[in-house]
Amino acid sequence: MNGAYEERNYNQFYQLDRLLIMVSVFISTPLNLSTMYLILFKSPKRLQTYKYILLNIAIWVFAYEIVQNVIALPMPIIEILGFYAEGLAKALSPEGGFACFVGIVFCIGQYIVALLFAFFYRYRALKIDFGVCGVNPTKWHYRVVIAVLMVVPPGSMAAAALCVYTPHDIFKVRVLNIHPELSVLLDNLPLFGFDSTGFVVSCGIISAWLFLWTVCVTWCIRGIIMQFREHRSAMSEFTYRMHLQLMRSLAVQTAAPVVLFVVPLSLVMVGVITGVGNIDDIIVLTVLMMSLHSTINSLAVVLFIAPYRNAVVDIFRKVFKMSAVSSVQVVSVSIKSQSNCAQPQSHSH
């Protein structure tokens, strides 16, 4: 370890990255809120059930966005397995920053479960004689499974994240023994540390859930493709197009976290576990990439699903029409005013 940290001012080093993330939040927040509005109030009757699945996805994407990029905004000092919050949680203790980290993991877990619900619903909507071991599931079965999936995978992922925490006193001693030149950062930043063994265990648990999720999603996609081929001739053109729109949107919503979350985070995990040099910049770049996910998710819903896209076009059309009418009225009033001023005044004798 050289004196790089002595020369590096952490309050300015990642200033551009933080600015880009804030710009992303500024764009994605109204997009997310607009998307939730469209899902709630502009969904056609055919989507009365599926709209709640879309809403569930949008809610957890938005929750992740707020916790990750507004409250936490984690910044790394990976050589000492340390992070600190640069967002609103910067005013909190190191434990508060770590709680935000656990919240981020929980939101990601809820998001991937929400995507799984969407894939299964698309498959179930096409499968006429769906059954499990010869038994047709009832609403009670579905409710139990939904409750379990919304608690167990995200909860266990959050619990796994708790395993990585190093108490602040122990972390401080470790840093001072290995990198005494970082003592100034311990005093000025709400640093919290990771335990290397706990980090490996946590990565293993999260990876196991991601593997199971991949298997389930792959099974759903395979079933959807088979059902499309089997029932295509019986579908109306409208129904077929609606299924395609929903699947395209879901495909983008799934590809986005794979590209922006799974791949970069996998590289970071490998780098941390193997102790590959300074990967702070890679982690910050990963956080920056992850901040784009919320915008992509909203655009996928609005652009690919025709009812929402048409609703947005109608809103802009009405706004433009109202603006045009207001402009005409202003011009008309101005002309009348000028005309009245130009008329000669009559004098009575």
Side-chain angles (χ1 to χ4, degrees), residues 153-336:
S156 59
M157 290 174 67
L162 287 171
C163 296
V164 307
Y165 182 67
T166 298
H168 189 66
D169 293 339
I170 298 176
F171 175 63
K172 187 173 182 179
V173 171
R174 185 179 75 190
V175 172
L176 293 177
N177 288 336
I178 301 175
H179 299 296
E181 70 276 13
L182 297 182
S183 59
V184 63
L185 295 180
L186 287 170
D187 295 333
N188 296 330
L189 295 174
L191 278 169
F192 59 88
F194 285 1
D195 176 71
S196 56
T197 303
F199 187 81
V200 174
V201 173
S202 177
C203 289
I205 295 173
I206 293 174
S207 298
W209 278 118
L210 290 176
F211 174 76
L212 290 175
W213 178 83
T214 303
V215 171
C216 293
V217 168
T218 303
W219 177 79
C220 289
I221 292 174
R222 178 178 175 274
I224 290 169
I225 294 173
M226 292 177 62
Q227 294 303 312
F228 257 124
R229 292 174 178 174
E230 182 177 347
H231 301 295
R232 171 65 183 96
S233 59
M235 292 182 184
S236 66
E237 189 63 24
F238 176 84
T239 301
Y240 178 71
R241 288 182 179 179
M242 180 60 70
H243 276 295
L244 283 182
Q245 291 169 14
L246 296 175
M247 281 305 302
R248 287 169 182 166
S249 172
L250 188 55
V252 174
Q253 289 175 294
T254 305
V258 170
V259 175
L260 300 177
F261 287 10
V262 178
V263 174
L265 287 178
S266 298
L267 296 175
V268 170
M269 287 179 181
V270 172
V272 171
I273 292 173
T274 58
V276 178
N278 187 343
I279 58 173
D280 288 0
D281 295 340
I282 298 176
I283 295 177
V284 174
L285 180 61
T286 300
V287 174
L288 179 59
M289 291 176 62
M290 292 166 69
S291 70
L292 301 175
H293 168 255
S294 183
T295 301
I296 294 174
N297 180 80
S298 296
L299 291 176
V301 173
V302 174
L303 296 180
F304 284 100
I305 303 178
Y308 304 140
R309 184 174 65 246
N310 295 336
V312 172
V313 172
D314 289 341
I315 291 172
F316 277 104
R317 189 176 295 163
K318 290 178 181 178
V319 171
F320 178 77
K321 185 177 180 180
M322 291 174 61
S323 177
V325 170
S326 299
S327 299
V328 170
Q329 290 176 346
V330 170
V331 171
S332 176
V333 170
S334 177
I335 292 174
K336 288 182 179 180

Side-chain angles (χ1 to χ4, degrees), residues 15-32:
Q15 187 173 2
L16 177 60
D17 303 273
R18 292 196 294 268
L19 177 61
L20 292 175
I21 291 172
M22 287 298 100
V23 170
S24 177
V25 172
F26 181 78
I27 295 172
S28 64
T29 298
L31 272 176
N32 271 303

